[in-house]
Amino acid sequence: MKYLFLSILSLFATSHIWAGDYQSLYQNLPVALVEPTAPAIPDTRVSIIDFGGVGDGITNNTEAFKKAISALSKKGGGHLDVPAGIYVVGLISLKDNIDLHLERNAMIMASPEKKDFLPADKDGAKAVPCISASKRHNISITGEGTIDGNGEWWRAVKRGKVSDEEWKAFQEMGGTVTADGKLWYPFDLKHFGNVADSYERQETMRTHLIRFTDCENVLVKGVTIQNAPKFHLVPQRCKHVIIDDVTVRCPWNAQNGDGIDLMQCQEVLVTRCKVDVGDDGICLKGGVGEEGVKYGPCQNILIVNNTVYHAHGGFVIGSEFSGGMFNIVVCDNTFSGTDKGLRFKSGPGRGGQTRNIYISRIYMSDIITEAVAFETSYTDKPVGSSGNTGNSVTVDFIPEFSDIHISNVICRDARTAIVARGNINMIHDISLVDCIFFYTTNEKAVDDPAMLQLSNVKFLTY
């Protein structure tokens, strides 16, 4: 059957990657959404081995990937196959019409040398993501392999979030402990150099593992993405994005370890993914202030049939969404062990509007704090900062969470069922229908009862 399928494909110069039959997911939705278009990738296949790739876990393969992608690009695109092995890399930049395909037991591992991710022409700039694409069409990452960000060489560690043995292990790497003993930074390590003159400056250079910017027709399917320096998978200002059957994982205490972050993207499907991370699980962001408005909203997004284990929030909007959040459906997802379940967070200077957001058939268990949370005074506070370095006092870009419809939620064990902090101008026209919350401490903490319209919502406890 496999060979028959390949023979059929060979009849065409270019084919759409088979990403699954998603049409059924778009039936009977509460708001009409546009199904994303899968990338079209030519049938040409090459192996990274043919370009000098060595999967021995030691050799740096940056040049091999660069040559392979360049060769495929000159042919109009195709599939770059990565066989079993561990391929240490610096920067991988995808081009039009290229599929990066990781076979089973193949691992692409980010180099532990931070300098391998710095742009050569920008002294002191933020590192570049290990895998990136900018203004590209028809790109994909597929297969059964793993992409590992080697994030422990980048991330600060909070003493209060690790055991004595883990703390000892980090110090054995070298590094720098702050004077108060509360933070460890991967600065002055035993085996790898610094890329800044202080641990504070080096911390600001940390970046994401995979980022696609201003791309169209994007597919990420089947792979495992783990241990990022910061966020794991970040499509930014992209259109027609499919993220299917992807596992995203990192330590529960990984600083800024977001799983899947969609930033001002349109026509997106996230389905059958498993997320277990140190920060937000599946998160939508819409930019800050005027820049957020300039690049537009997150729009026409379907998030269905996913499971989120540890995360600060299972499904999250914010904290920045000045560009807006429109036409979003989140349904048939499980959150098990997240800090919060459904989390809506923002603050003055970072907010925008929400419209046509429908959330249904969400199944939550062992939620550490709140099952549903609205926060309107959220600030962005980088690790190690002593105070609010995010929002200034402003009357501009006030968050307005409204036209959000939540139904058929079952939650077993949350400290508090529902929290809504703000005023009626920031949180209004929020409906919860046919929900069951089993809470352990508080039923609700809502600043103004008029913010929420509850219908057949049961609150139960011991």
Side-chain angles (χ1 to χ4, degrees):
M1 186 59 149
K2 174 182 177 183
Y3 299 105
L4 175 60
F5 180 62
L6 291 175
S7 297
I8 293 172
L9 284 182
S10 66
L11 297 176
F12 302 91
T14 302
S15 62
H16 285 277
I17 286 185
W18 186 85
D21 180 8
Y22 302 122
Q23 187 175 5
S24 62
L25 299 177
Y26 285 82
Q27 305 300 314
N28 303 316
L29 296 178
V31 59
L33 300 179
V34 177
E35 183 178 346
T37 302
I41 306 292
D43 293 332
T44 304
R45 305 197 80 98
V46 300
S47 171
I48 191 63
I49 303 300
D50 298 333
F51 295 86
V54 181
D56 60 2
I58 300 171
T59 303
N60 190 304
N61 290 271
T62 304
E63 193 63 25
F65 276 93
K66 183 178 180 180
K67 290 178 179 178
I69 291 170
S70 178
L72 270 178
S73 180
K74 290 176 181 178
K75 296 178 180 180
H79 305 265
L80 173 53
D81 293 330
V82 183
I86 300 177
Y87 300 83
V88 177
V89 299
L91 302 177
I92 296 176
S93 180
L94 297 180
K95 296 185 177 182
D96 291 342
N97 310 317
I98 288 180
D99 168 44
L100 177 61
H101 183 78
L102 283 72
E103 298 178 4
R104 182 177 294 182
N105 296 321
M107 177 181 288
I108 291 175
M109 176 176 285
S111 167
E113 288 281 8
K114 299 181 185 68
K115 63 181 177 60
D116 289 341
F117 301 95
L118 300 185
D121 56 342
K122 296 181 180 179
D123 186 43
K126 180 180 285 190
V128 177
C130 178
I131 299 177
S132 66
S134 177
K135 298 180 180 178
R136 299 297 183 182
H137 291 76
N138 299 320
I139 57 172
S140 61
I141 302 174
T142 62
E144 300 177 76
T146 300
I147 300 169
D148 189 303
N150 245 335
E152 64 270 23
W153 302 108
W154 280 99
R155 296 189 302 260
V157 176
K158 293 181 177 179
R159 177 65 183 94
K161 287 189 172 183
V162 296
S163 67
D164 292 346
E165 285 299 314
E166 290 171 307
W167 187 247
K168 180 181 178 181
F170 280 112
Q171 293 184 81
E172 287 175 351
M173 294 165 59
T176 301
V177 177
T178 55
D180 59 9
K182 293 182 178 180
L183 282 166
W184 173 90
Y185 286 90
F187 186 82
D188 287 342
L189 294 165
K190 290 180 180 179
H191 303 295
F192 303 105
N194 301 320
V195 290
D197 57 6
S198 69
Y199 63 78
E200 296 96 339
R201 175 58 184 150
Q202 186 167 278
E203 167 64 20
T204 66
M205 298 167 70
R206 186 161 53 102
T207 190
H208 313 313
L209 177 52
I210 302 171
R211 184 175 66 209
F212 302 132
T213 305
D214 298 310
C215 295
E216 190 164 345
N217 297 356
V218 176
L219 171 68
V220 183
K221 178 177 171 62
V223 294
T224 294
I225 304 169
Q226 64 184 27
N227 202 19
K230 200 171 182 181
F231 301 172
H232 287 76
L233 177 56
V234 184
Q236 182 177 30
R237 302 192 302 270
C238 293
K239 295 183 178 179
H240 294 281
V241 178
I242 300 170
I243 304 173
D244 179 10
D245 193 25
V246 172
T247 298
V248 185
R249 57 189 294 271
C250 68
W252 73 271
N253 48 16
Q255 193 68 34
N256 308 116
D258 285 27
I260 299 170
D261 278 39
L262 305 173
M263 298 183 177
Q264 296 178 284
C265 291
Q266 300 180 16
E267 287 76 58
V268 181
L269 171 64
V270 181
T271 186
R272 301 194 304 160
C273 294
K274 295 179 176 64
V275 180
D276 191 345
V277 292
D279 209 309
D280 291 328
I282 300 173
C283 183
L284 307 186
K285 295 180 180 293
V288 177
E290 293 290 355
E291 185 176 13
V293 174
K294 174 183 176 181
Y295 289 113
C298 275
Q299 185 168 268
N300 295 330
I301 295 174
L302 176 59
I303 298 171
V304 58
N305 296 332
N306 304 285
T307 301
V308 181
Y309 297 102
H310 185 271
H312 286 184
F315 168 73
V316 182
I317 288 179
S319 63
E320 63 272 26
F321 71 106
S322 298
M325 298 280 157
F326 307 140
N327 298 344
I328 296 164
V329 177
V330 182
C331 58
D332 299 297
N333 298 289
T334 296
F335 307 149
S336 181
T338 59
D339 291 357
K340 303 176 190 291
L342 301 170
R343 186 182 190 190
F344 306 87
K345 60 175 181 176
S346 192
R350 307 177 72 82
Q353 294 184 333
T354 62
R355 186 171 65 243
N356 285 341
I357 297 181
Y358 292 87
I359 301 171
S360 63
R361 299 186 299 278
I362 306 296
Y363 308 96
M364 308 186 202
S365 66
D366 300 310
I367 305 302
I368 297 172
T369 57
E370 301 95 25
V372 180
F374 292 89
E375 312 163 55
T376 57
S377 58
Y378 184 89
T379 59
D380 184 18
K381 185 178 177 182
V383 61
S385 63
S386 57
N388 173 22
T389 59
N391 305 335
S392 58
V393 177
T394 178
V395 294
D396 297 320
F397 303 104
I398 300 297
E400 184 180 359
F401 292 115
S402 65
D403 198 10
I404 298 174
H405 311 275
I406 302 171
S407 64
N408 297 105
V409 171
I410 297 176
C411 175
R412 172 70 195 203
D413 288 338
R415 185 184 304 163
T416 302
I418 302 173
V419 168
R421 297 297 192 191
N423 62 49
I424 196 66
N425 295 317
M426 295 182 179
I427 305 171
H428 61 90
D429 295 302
I430 310 294
S431 65
L432 288 92
V433 178
D434 297 332
C435 299
I436 300 173
F437 298 97
F438 189 96
Y439 65 92
T440 60
T441 304
N442 299 305
E443 178 181 302
K444 296 191 295 289
V446 178
D447 287 349
D448 185 338
M451 294 173 174
L452 309 177
Q453 291 82 54
L454 308 184
S455 176
N456 193 30
V457 177
K458 299 179 181 179
F459 297 96
L460 307 170
T461 190
Y462 292 106

